[in-house]
């Protein structure tokens, strides 16, 4: 087994980033990489990945309850109705990451999500970029920060009016929602999503 996996007191192997912090461990064990195929769930993940840009994911995860409260539970219809007064309110909210450009982008992305409903919706678009072959990372260094599919997804999202959705953010979204499996070979989560088998 790679030295980049740590066997916990429960006998399960996890990557270093998910092995010590209880919050990150719980997120890794129960949520990260599991399929998200509904509009609401994907809009939340897309929004949080955009806020994470340039920051640690742990910071975003700790603030997720605050984000959910501030952004109406990430209901696209509710967020799409936000106006400048909501932007000013959010800029004063210590429960979230107070970045005007990202806040404005999230509101715009909610509107873009609604517009997509006429053409199959956000889940159909995002899952349409699932790669044909799985990754088999044995070390963290084997995991790319983007892929041909994430480049194409980012380009299509931008064409549809989404912002803060570059190739790296798109790849992180794909990892978080099970579209790609970047669990290290040997991890107890490898292949657990049901999207990709563990032995490939």
């Amino acid at each position: 087994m790679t030295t980049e996996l740590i066997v916990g007191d429960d006998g399960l192997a996890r990557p270093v980033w998910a092995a010590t912090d209880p919050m990150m461990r719980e997120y890794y064990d129960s949520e990260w990489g599991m399929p998200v195929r509904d509009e609401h769930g994907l809009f939340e993940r897309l929004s949080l990945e955009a806020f994470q840009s340039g920051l640690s994911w742990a910071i975003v995860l700790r603030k997720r309850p605050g984000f959910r409260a501030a952004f109406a539970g990430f209901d696209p219809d509710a967020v799409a109705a936000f106006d400048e007064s909501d932007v000013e309110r959010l800029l004063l909210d210590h429960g979230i990451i107070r970045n005007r450009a990202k806040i404005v982008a999230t509101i715009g992305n909610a509107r873009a999500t609604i517009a997509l409903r006429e053409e199959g919706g956000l889940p159909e678009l995002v899952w349409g970029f699932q790669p044909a072959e799985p990754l088999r990372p044995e070390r963290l260094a084997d995991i790319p920060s983007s892929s041909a599919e994430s480049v194409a997804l980012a380009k299509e999202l931008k064409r549809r009016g989404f912002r803060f959705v570059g190739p790296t953010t798109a790849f992180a979204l794909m990892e978080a929602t099970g579209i790609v499996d970047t669990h290290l070979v040997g991890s107890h989560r490898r292949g657990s999503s049901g999207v990709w088998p563990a032995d490939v």
Side-chain angles (χ1 to χ4, degrees):
M1 181 182 294
T2 175
T3 57
E4 295 189 41
L5 287 171
I6 296 176
V7 177
D9 51 13
D10 55 4
L12 301 178
R14 300 175 181 86
V16 174
W17 66 264
T20 54
D21 182 331
M23 178 192 67
M24 295 295 280
R25 177 167 156 166
E26 172 62 23
Y27 175 66
Y28 180 80
D29 284 353
S30 64
E31 184 175 353
W32 188 70
M34 294 304 290
V36 177
R37 299 182 184 272
D38 64 291
E39 179 191 81
H40 189 160
L42 282 172
F43 175 64
E44 176 178 352
R45 301 312 196 287
L46 180 64
S47 300
L48 293 176
E49 293 293 351
F51 273 100
Q52 185 270 334
S53 180
L55 301 170
S56 159
W57 177 248
I59 292 173
V60 175
L61 199 57
R62 285 190 177 89
K63 288 181 175 286
R64 182 157 66 167
F67 273 113
R68 285 175 168 171
F71 283 96
F74 287 105
D75 172 34
D77 293 288
V79 177
F82 283 11
D83 58 19
E84 185 58 31
S85 66
D86 291 293
V87 174
E88 296 305 319
R89 168 182 61 84
L90 292 166
L91 285 169
L92 297 174
D93 191 333
H94 292 273
I96 68 169
I97 294 163
R98 294 173 294 162
N99 179 301
R100 176 180 286 274
K102 292 178 180 180
I103 290 169
V104 171
T106 301
I107 297 168
N109 289 350
R111 294 168 183 163
T113 296
I114 291 170
L116 272 176
R117 291 174 183 167
E118 297 180 0
E119 300 179 57
L122 184 62
E124 182 175 306
L125 187 153
V126 173
W127 278 87
F129 289 88
Q130 180 181 341
E133 298 294 331
L135 297 171
R136 284 189 52 80
E138 297 185 3
R139 300 170 301 134
L140 293 175
D142 296 334
I143 302 172
S145 59
S146 65
S147 65
E149 291 83 9
S150 79
V151 170
L153 173 57
K155 182 177 179 180
E156 182 61 16
L157 286 169
K158 287 179 180 178
R159 189 179 77 82
R160 301 288 187 153
F162 289 82
R163 287 179 284 171
F164 276 93
V165 287
T168 300
T169 296
F171 190 77
L173 174 70
M174 295 167 84
E175 289 181 286
T177 58
I179 298 170
V180 296
D181 186 347
T182 56
H183 292 292
L184 297 179
V185 173
S187 163
H188 84 93
R189 285 291 320 283
R190 180 81 186 161
S192 62
S193 70
V195 178
W196 302 103
D199 58 351
V200 296

